[in-house]
Amino acid sequence: MKFFIDTANLAQIKEANDLGILDGVTTNPSLMAKEGIKGEAAIMQHYETICELVDGDISAEVLGTSFEGIIEEGKKLAAIHPNIVVKVPMIKDGIKAIKWFTDNGIKTNCTLVFSAGQAILAAKAGASYVSPFIGRIDDSGWDGMQLIAQIASIYQIQGFKTEILAASIRNANHIIACAEAGADVITSPLESILGLLKHPLTDIGLAKFLEDAKKMG
Ligand code: E4P
């Protein structure tokens, strides 16, 4: 399972990358706005900086919602760096655009996916990644992990090549459950990735080893 970090914060991207386990980055307009990135030039520059920091797929989301607008923006984003993946919302024009990008050799991430039907459409259009938002599904009283397992089963039966990129991760347990449910990739805030490190018995055991190490001279 690949690990992506879900942020536009450069310090957090660096910290995750320094762990040596990072395979890519996802961003969205909310995450970019949180970092104060404003205007086309600044947006393009920020994606370029992320591409220089991390050697892996970097999702850059389009802001337009018409077929023509998505294509125009996506072409500009894809021209920034070969690792850019154009992130396109799950709407009718988005599906048309994903098919166009697929036919023109541009990688895509179909975002805002909340159902198996949407995931089938994204795969039919040839999306490189499909992003089911598990945390937001859980928040609304449904089971995000069940959706990951359902999409994994459908893609396997049908032989779809689209990778399942589990998004909207809220904690370390989500990451573990995604691995069990068959996600190809998780995209997660840094905190949830670091949460995988934690176990109280590790802390107790290490404290004891360090104490006994002193006796060894
Ligand atoms: C997906 O790529 C999105 O950027 C993200 O995972 C959404 O997460 P949120 O529900 O925490 O905003």
Side-chain angles (χ1 to χ4, degrees):
M1 188 169 76
K2 289 190 260 185
F3 272 49
F4 290 179
I5 187 166
D6 193 31
T7 185
N9 181 281
L10 297 179
Q12 290 184 17
I13 291 171
K14 275 186 207 146
E15 189 176 337
N17 198 44
D18 282 350
L19 278 173
I21 52 93
L22 197 64
D23 300 298
V25 181
T26 55
T27 60
N28 64 37
S30 306
L31 295 171
M32 292 286 279
K34 196 172 159 193
E35 299 307 314
I37 316 295
K38 212 174 165 188
E40 190 179 328
I43 293 169
M44 297 290 171
Q45 180 55 59
H46 202 72
Y47 287 137
E48 201 177 321
T49 305
I50 295 174
C51 289
E52 282 161 8
L53 283 175
V54 178
D55 183 19
D57 282 350
I58 312 298
S59 284
E61 189 158 342
V62 296
L63 307 178
T65 52
S66 69
F67 174 73
E68 293 75 14
I70 294 171
I71 298 297
E72 191 188 334
E73 261 186 84
K75 283 198 280 189
K76 279 188 203 165
L77 291 169
I80 296 173
H81 193 279
N83 288 349
I84 287 283
V85 176
V86 180
K87 202 171 175 189
V88 180
M90 167 45 75
I91 52 174
K92 201 167 154 192
D93 279 29
I95 287 297
K96 272 175 68 179
I98 287 171
K99 178 70 174 85
W100 189 92
F101 288 130
T102 305
D103 292 344
N104 287 275
I106 293 173
K107 285 191 283 184
T108 53
N109 173 357
C110 184
T111 190
L112 290 167
V113 166
F114 295 90
S115 76
Q118 292 177 326
I120 290 172
L121 265 185
K124 280 294 289 177
S128 319
Y129 296 102
V130 64
S131 288
F133 278 33
I134 58 173
R136 293 193 197 184
I137 293 174
D138 287 357
D139 293 346
S140 67
W142 297 77
D143 185 352
M145 219 50 71
Q146 205 179 7
L147 178 61
I148 299 292
Q150 188 184 19
I151 298 171
S153 162
I154 291 169
Y155 279 12
Q156 192 180 14
I157 292 167
Q158 298 298 330
F160 286 132
K161 298 280 177 278
T162 300
E163 291 186 65
I164 303 168
L165 198 175
S168 188
I169 300 272
R170 300 274 190 263
N171 53 56
N173 280 339
H174 264 161
I175 300 176
I176 298 164
C178 281
E180 284 181 321
D184 299 293
V185 192
I186 54 95
T187 188
S188 165
L190 179 62
E191 200 187 352
S192 302
I193 296 175
L194 296 180
L196 292 170
L197 287 166
K198 291 180 197 155
H199 196 287
L201 291 179
T202 303
D203 298 338
I204 293 167
L206 181 62
K208 176 77 175 129
F209 283 160
L210 291 176
E211 191 188 311
D212 290 343
K214 286 181 201 151
K215 298 174 195 162
M216 295 166 62

